[in-house]
Amino acid sequence: MNKTKVVITAMLVAVMAFSSCNKEKSAAKELVKEFLKENLVSEDYKVLYCYDLSTTKFVTDSMCQEMRAKMASNKRFKPNMHYAEGPASKNLHFIRVKYRVDKDTVYQTFYLDEQQTRVVAFKEN
């Protein structure tokens, strides 16, 4: 009987962890979609796939500034892109996204703040 309880408990924990991850990934995907909507020149775009959401401690503020500067010259995006104000947090989340804009398929990585409330920077993959 104890083995059954352990197995059931383990399954419940796994289901709860999986649903929590999906919830976070879904929130990150919506944040990226909103960012694209605000900043892409073309309105003809569609998010095709979002890869797993991960965390990094290795992206610094200066790296974020460098990514922003590099993407400022990307013709797919409006000049003076809107990023959230304030410094990047110590632990950034990131999600790789595949989307179609006009006839091109684009792969980019979006870095989000620790609370997943804003896009801090992004880069081409």
Side-chain angles (χ1 to χ4, degrees):
M1 195 83 173
N2 279 340
K3 281 187 176 183
T4 304
K5 285 182 181 180
V6 169
V7 170
I8 290 172
T9 302
M11 288 173 46
L12 287 172
V13 168
V15 167
M16 288 179 0
F18 182 72
S19 67
S20 175
C21 290
N22 279 342
K23 191 178 196 181
E24 287 182 354
K25 180 179 175 181
S26 180
K29 179 179 178 180
E30 289 305 312
L31 188 61
V32 168
K33 285 170 86 175
E34 186 62 31
F35 182 85
L36 292 173
K37 180 180 177 182
E38 289 178 18
N39 293 295
L40 280 172
V41 171
S42 176
E43 293 181 12
D44 181 21
Y45 73 94
K46 180 178 181 180
V47 174
L48 302 173
Y49 189 76
C50 289
Y51 296 85
D52 288 338
L53 185 66
S54 298
T55 306
T56 183
K57 294 180 181 183
F58 300 111
V59 177
T60 63
D61 284 340
S62 61
M63 292 168 76
C64 286
Q65 294 302 324
E66 187 177 319
M67 282 187 267
R68 289 179 179 188
K70 188 170 185 176
M71 294 312 293
S73 63
N74 188 318
K75 300 298 182 198
R76 287 188 195 102
F77 291 89
K78 298 174 185 173
N80 302 319
M81 266 185 279
H82 175 71
Y83 293 94
E85 296 298 320
S89 58
K90 297 276 185 203
N91 296 312
L92 296 179
H93 293 272
F94 67 94
I95 187 165
R96 293 179 315 155
V97 177
K98 174 183 174 182
Y99 65 94
R100 179 193 46 78
V101 61
D102 297 322
K103 294 180 181 180
D104 296 327
T105 300
V106 181
Y107 294 86
Q108 293 173 328
T109 300
F110 290 83
Y111 293 90
L112 314 174
D113 67 342
E114 198 164 6
Q115 294 77 28
Q116 296 182 41
T117 59
R118 60 193 180 124
V119 172
V120 175
F122 70 105
K123 68 178 183 177
E124 295 278 358
N125 290 348

